[in-house]
C-alpha cells in the first residue's frame, strides 16, 4: 500500500513504474492525492518516445519496491488508458473513465481527486486552475476593473491563454549491435631462398718435379691402383616455430553526428473580431490576429 511517506521516494526522479510481471512501464511522473483522505490515489507514468506521454495508473494495491512502484496491471493496460492531461485536478468524469478502464469501482464518499503532490500541494480541489469558484473570481475581477466576460461558458478569467506545442527532442541509449574478436588459423605458402653447398670432384694433373719425384717413383714401376674421394653436400632443413607478434583487443570511441528531426506542432492563434458599427451604420468586420 502506497502512503504519504512514500511520495518523496516516488517524486525523487529515480522511481520507475513496474507492471504486474515486473517489467518496466516507464518513469514515475506525478502523484495525485485523494481530496477526502489525502492519501496517494493515482500515479502518472511517462511512456512513449523520450517519455513525452503520461498515463494514469491507480495506486490501489500498489507496492513500493526500493525506488520502484509495482502495480497490478499490465504494460498494455497502462498504455491503453484514457488520455488525460496531467495538468491539475482530476474531474469526476475523468476519474470515472479511468476507473472503468481498470475495472475498478469508485470508492464511496469520494469527491474529486486532488491535485498532484509536490509543487501544487497547497491547492485542494476546485477546477483545474485551482480557483475556488466563480463568486470569488467575480469579486477579484470587480476589484481590479475587469473588462469583458467569457461568452463560451462560465466566467473563469478575464483573458485568454494562448498555448502552443513545443518540439522537445532528446536521445536514448540503445544497443546498436555487437562486435567480436575471433582468432582463426589460415595456411599460406612462404618461399625463401637458401644457399646450399656441395662438393664436386675434379682431376688435377701436375708435372714431375724434384719435390714430388720421390712420391712418384715410390712403388712398382707398372701397377694397378684405385683412389677415391668422399664428396659432401648441404641439405635444406625446414623447421617451424610459433612466435608471438602482437596483441589485439577491442575498444570503443564515441562519434558525434548531427541528425535532423522534424515533426508537426500545433499552436493556438487569437484573433480580434471587430464588429463595431461605423458612422454610416455599416458593421466593420476587422480581424487582427496574434
Amino acid at each position: 500500500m502506497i502512503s504519504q511517506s512514500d511520495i518523496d521516494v516516488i517524486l525523487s526522479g529515480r522511481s520507475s513504474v513496474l507492471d504486474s510481471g515486473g517489467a518496466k512501464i516507464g518513469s514515475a511522473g506525478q502523484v495525485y492525492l485523494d481530496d477526502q483522505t489525502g492519501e496517494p490515489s493515482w500515479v502518472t507514468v511517462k511512456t512513449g518516445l523520450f517519455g513525452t506521454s503520461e498515463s494514469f495508473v491507480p495506486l490501489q494495491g500498489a507496492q513500493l519496491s526500493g525506488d520502484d512502484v509495482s502495480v497490478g496491471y499490465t504494460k498494455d493496460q497502462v498504455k491503453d488508458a484514457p488520455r488525460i492531461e496531467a495538468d491539475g485536478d482530476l474531474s469526476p468524469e475523468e476519474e470515472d473513465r479511468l476507473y472503468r478502464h481498470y475495472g475498478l469501482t469508485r470508492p464511496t464518499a469520494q469527491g474529486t481527486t486532488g491535485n498532484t503532490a509536490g509543487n501544487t500541494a497547497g491547492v485542494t480541489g476546485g477546477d483545474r486552475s485551482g480557483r475556488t469558484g466563480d463568486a470569488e473570481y467575480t469579486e477579484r475581477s470587480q476589484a481590479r476593473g475587469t473588462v469583458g466576460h467569457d461568452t463560451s461558458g462560465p466566467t473563469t478569467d478575464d483573458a485568454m491563454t494562448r498555448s502552443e506545442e513545443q518540439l522537445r527532442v532528446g536521445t536514448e541509449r540503445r544497443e546498436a549491435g555487437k562486435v567480436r574478436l575471433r582468432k582463426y588459423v589460415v595456411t599460406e605458402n612462404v618461399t625463401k631462398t637458401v644457399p646450399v653447398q656441395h662438393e664436386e670432384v675434379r682431376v688435377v694433373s701436375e708435372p714431375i718435379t724434384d719435390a714430388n719425384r720421390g712420391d712418384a717413383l715410390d712403388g712398382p714401376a707398372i701397377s694397378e691402383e684405385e683412389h677415391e674421394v668422399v664428396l659432401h653436400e648441404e641439405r635444406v632443413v625446414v623447421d617451424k616455430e610459433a612466435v608471438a607478434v602482437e596483441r589485439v583487443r577491442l575498444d570503443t570511441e564515441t562519434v558525434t553526428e548531427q541528425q535532423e528531426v522534424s515533426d508537426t506542432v500545433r499552436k493556438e492563434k487569437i484573433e480580434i473580431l471587430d464588429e463595431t458599427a461605423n458612422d454610416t451604420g455599416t458593421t466593420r468586420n476587422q480581424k487582427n490576429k496574434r
Side-chain angles (χ1 to χ4, degrees):
M1 182 67 180
I2 304 298
S3 63
Q4 285 273 3
S5 59
D6 301 323
I7 293 178
D8 289 340
V9 176
I10 300 175
L11 299 181
S12 64
R14 304 185 304 269
S15 184
S16 299
V17 178
L18 310 180
D19 68 3
S20 55
K24 179 179 177 180
I25 303 174
S27 300
Q30 305 178 61
V31 175
Y32 280 65
L33 308 180
D34 185 275
D35 276 352
Q36 304 298 320
T37 64
E39 293 298 322
S41 180
W42 300 89
V43 63
T44 63
V45 54
K46 298 177 181 179
T47 60
L49 184 62
F50 310 129
T52 53
S53 299
E54 284 192 83
S55 301
F56 281 79
V57 188
L59 286 176
Q60 297 182 21
Q63 298 291 332
L64 192 64
S65 303
D67 290 337
D68 299 330
V69 180
S70 298
V71 297
Y73 305 97
T74 65
K75 190 173 185 178
D76 290 338
Q77 277 182 289
V78 176
K79 288 189 174 183
D80 293 339
R83 298 291 96 186
I84 295 175
E85 294 295 331
D87 57 357
D89 295 346
L90 283 175
S91 68
E93 293 77 12
E94 291 170 336
E95 273 199 299
D96 285 341
R97 290 168 55 197
L98 290 171
Y99 278 125
R100 285 195 300 269
H101 173 75
Y102 288 105
L104 299 174
T105 303
R106 174 188 289 275
T108 58
Q110 180 180 357
T112 304
T113 295
N115 42 265
T116 59
N119 294 335
T120 59
V123 183
T124 54
D127 59 19
R128 286 188 179 274
S129 60
R131 300 186 182 93
T132 56
D134 293 344
E136 181 180 342
Y137 165 75
T138 302
E139 182 180 349
R140 295 200 308 268
S141 299
Q142 291 175 351
R144 63 173 183 263
T146 301
V147 177
H149 62 280
D150 191 349
T151 61
S152 59
T155 301
T156 57
D157 206 344
D158 58 349
M160 287 185 180
T161 299
R162 188 180 70 84
S163 303
E164 64 182 26
E165 294 179 336
Q166 296 181 348
L167 193 62
R168 296 182 180 177
V169 180
T171 60
E172 64 176 356
R173 188 177 180 88
R174 64 182 181 87
E175 184 177 301
K178 293 182 179 179
V179 178
R180 295 183 296 165
L181 279 180
R182 182 173 67 90
K183 185 170 69 173
Y184 59 97
V185 178
V186 297
T187 302
E188 60 181 12
N189 290 325
V190 178
T191 302
K192 290 189 175 182
T193 301
V194 181
V196 293
Q197 295 180 342
H198 68 277
E199 295 177 341
E200 294 181 353
V201 69
R202 63 187 177 91
V203 178
V204 179
S205 298
E206 56 183 21
I208 302 300
T209 62
D210 293 338
N212 61 16
R213 187 180 300 275
D215 293 333
L217 298 178
D218 186 19
I222 301 296
S223 64
E224 293 182 356
E225 292 184 22
E226 290 184 358
H227 193 78
E228 70 177 16
V229 175
V230 178
L231 301 177
H232 298 85
E233 67 177 4
E234 292 180 338
R235 181 171 59 89
V236 176
V237 178
V238 179
D239 192 12
K240 300 177 184 178
E241 178 185 6
V243 179
V245 294
E246 65 178 350
R247 295 279 292 167
V248 181
R249 67 175 182 271
L250 290 176
D251 197 3
T252 61
E253 62 177 349
T254 301
V255 179
T256 302
E257 60 182 11
Q258 302 296 328
Q259 291 187 358
E260 290 186 355
V261 178
S262 61
D263 201 350
T264 58
V265 295
R266 299 177 301 165
K267 61 173 62 178
E268 297 173 343
K269 294 288 188 178
I270 297 177
E271 64 181 9
I272 300 175
L273 303 178
D274 190 350
E275 299 178 354
T276 305
N278 56 24
D279 294 339
T280 62
T282 59
T283 300
R284 178 176 57 192
N285 292 320
Q286 177 182 356
K287 294 185 178 180
N288 295 324
K289 296 184 178 180
R290 288 181 60 83

